[in-house]
Amino acid sequence: WDVGRVVALAAAPKGRRIAIANHRNELLVGDLEAGQLALADRSDCGRSEDLAWSPDGAWIAYPFWTSARHCAIKLYEVATGRTQLVTRPEFRDSAPAFDPSGRYLYFVSIRTYDPVYDNVQFELSFPRAARPYLVALQSDARPPFDPPPRGMRPPHEPKGDEEGAGGKAPPSLRIDLDGIERRIAAFPVHEGRYGAIAATPRHVLWTSFPLPGAHGRGGHKEGPARLEAFDLDNLRAETWVDKVDEFRISADSSTLLVREGNRLRALDAAHKPEKKDDDDAPSRASGWIDLGRLRLSVEPRAEWRQMLREVWRLQRDHFWVSDMSGVDWAEVYNRY
């Protein structure tokens, strides 16, 4: 299989399928049991570097560049092979993530145009144009930001056939594609700079970045983001972790893995981490993982061989013409 240079890879939560995005702006879907790889979609304008499977493994959500400036969220149905845009191709949407209960698809979008005046010159800019959004996947669903009255019964206690935002994933996810782009709602938070987004049954988590100066002389340098969590019960967002470079949530929504620089921390995904005096030391209580215990065996000659092959392949895949300007590229590799 010629998969190209892989820029994103995601395994389905059920079954043995994988989704691959490569440097050719292609979305590939592989069936490991059947030994098949199929082209699902391709953009003429950019790569799909964020891949998200639905809880039942029947759908893939991914950003799709419709032009050099606009990126929309798209859905691919594995069973039929059909694709459809979920958001209008007029903005810049990214980071799709499915709600574990299968009711919503979350994403980040740059579409809040609240201009900021410059203090030196009479200019306007949009440094805080992004917000987290959701789209209701079923036509009869409503955003959780304006919930109906529910009396005094405790939260997460189902009444009849009603199922809250934290319900179990349906055995087969139903997505009503007709009119889906009209079922988009913004989270009630301020616009800013947002990165990745993910969800547990009760919380929607995202990274929020500061607005640094280009030189950092104003006291703010480009650095780690904050990890914020939006509680679907009380409809409020709060900071969970002050410094985060990257985060992931386990498939069962139980564990939150946070990366800060070269350090990893595993936390309970259901609750805000408690701050303690000894939080910096690796332990089960703090969640910090002692990476110093890892040992890696390296065979230098085999590593050099792999490095040569990798550089050769990158030149081949990213050269501006497919015939390498007439150079016998295989012979070049054999010579070295």
Side-chain angles (χ1 to χ4, degrees):
W1 292 338
D2 180 14
V3 299
R5 185 169 73 86
V6 176
V7 298
L9 176 68
K14 294 184 179 180
R16 299 198 63 196
R17 286 191 173 94
I18 57 172
I20 299 171
N22 64 18
H23 76 292
R24 304 188 192 106
N25 309 338
E26 296 172 339
L27 172 66
L28 307 172
V29 177
D31 188 330
L32 300 181
E33 290 185 352
Q36 298 175 344
L37 186 69
L39 175 64
D41 206 350
R42 185 185 183 279
S43 168
D44 293 329
C45 306
R47 302 170 181 173
S48 300
E49 297 186 351
D50 299 314
L51 307 177
W53 284 90
S54 63
D56 62 350
W59 300 81
I60 304 171
Y62 54 101
F64 185 84
W65 288 90
T66 57
S67 74
R69 296 174 60 88
H70 304 109
C71 186
I73 302 299
K74 207 169 185 181
L75 281 175
Y76 171 79
E77 187 177 20
V78 176
T80 63
R82 63 172 171 168
T83 63
Q84 178 164 326
L85 290 175
V86 175
T87 61
R88 298 182 184 274
E90 301 162 359
F91 308 102
R92 188 168 293 184
D93 306 332
S94 62
F98 280 93
D99 166 31
S101 69
R103 298 182 65 188
Y104 306 113
L105 178 67
Y106 305 112
F107 63 98
V108 173
S109 181
I110 299 177
R111 61 174 72 191
T112 302
Y113 302 120
D114 186 9
V116 176
Y117 277 99
D118 180 67
N119 280 330
V120 179
Q121 304 180 60
F122 188 73
E123 294 179 348
L124 291 170
S125 64
F126 302 95
R128 306 186 304 254
R131 288 173 75 182
Y133 289 79
L134 64 78
V135 55
L137 296 178
Q138 291 86 43
S139 58
D140 56 351
R142 57 185 296 172
F145 313 132
D146 186 21
R150 59 183 180 185
M152 298 301 294
R153 58 188 177 82
H156 294 310
E157 182 180 311
K159 184 177 180 180
D161 294 331
E162 179 185 344
E163 183 178 319
K168 295 181 179 179
S172 180
L173 177 61
R174 185 183 107 238
I175 298 182
D176 299 324
L177 295 175
D178 187 25
I180 192 171
E181 72 280 355
R182 298 192 296 270
R183 301 197 297 269
I184 295 175
F187 278 81
V189 296
H190 294 294
E191 65 271 14
R193 294 178 64 202
Y194 295 92
I197 190 169
T200 66
R202 179 174 172 177
H203 298 96
V204 181
L205 295 92
W206 55 67
T207 48
S208 176
F209 292 85
L211 290 171
H215 299 289
R217 290 193 291 264
H220 297 285
K221 296 182 179 180
E222 186 75 43
R226 296 188 309 273
L227 180 63
E228 298 178 348
F230 186 89
D231 193 316
L232 293 171
D233 278 347
N234 59 35
L235 305 182
R236 293 194 184 104
E238 62 176 334
T239 298
W240 273 21
V241 182
D242 293 327
K243 295 181 179 180
V244 170
D245 287 295
E246 192 177 4
F247 79 97
R248 293 286 190 275
I249 295 177
S250 61
D252 62 358
S253 299
S254 65
T255 305
L256 169 66
L257 183 65
V258 172
R259 180 178 70 83
E260 180 190 341
N262 294 325
R263 307 186 69 197
L264 292 177
R265 191 180 186 189
L267 300 166
D268 183 356
H271 304 93
K272 179 180 179 179
E274 296 182 7
K275 291 187 177 180
K276 300 178 181 179
D277 295 337
D278 59 347
D279 265 357
D280 209 41
S283 69
R284 284 187 174 271
S286 68
W288 288 109
I289 300 173
D290 185 5
L291 298 179
R293 298 190 304 165
L294 295 177
R295 295 294 181 267
L296 180 65
S297 178
V298 176
E299 187 178 342
R301 289 185 179 275
E303 188 178 47
W304 298 337
R305 202 172 295 117
Q306 188 273 334
M307 291 165 65
L308 171 64
R309 181 73 182 183
E310 184 75 359
V311 172
W312 175 85
R313 186 182 64 82
L314 288 174
Q315 290 284 341
R316 180 199 64 187
D317 289 351
H318 291 272
F319 204 72
W320 51 86
V321 288
S322 59
D323 66 351
M324 301 296 294
S325 294
V327 176
D328 188 338
W329 200 235
E331 177 57 33
V332 170
Y333 176 78
N334 293 331
R335 184 197 316 163
Y336 281 91

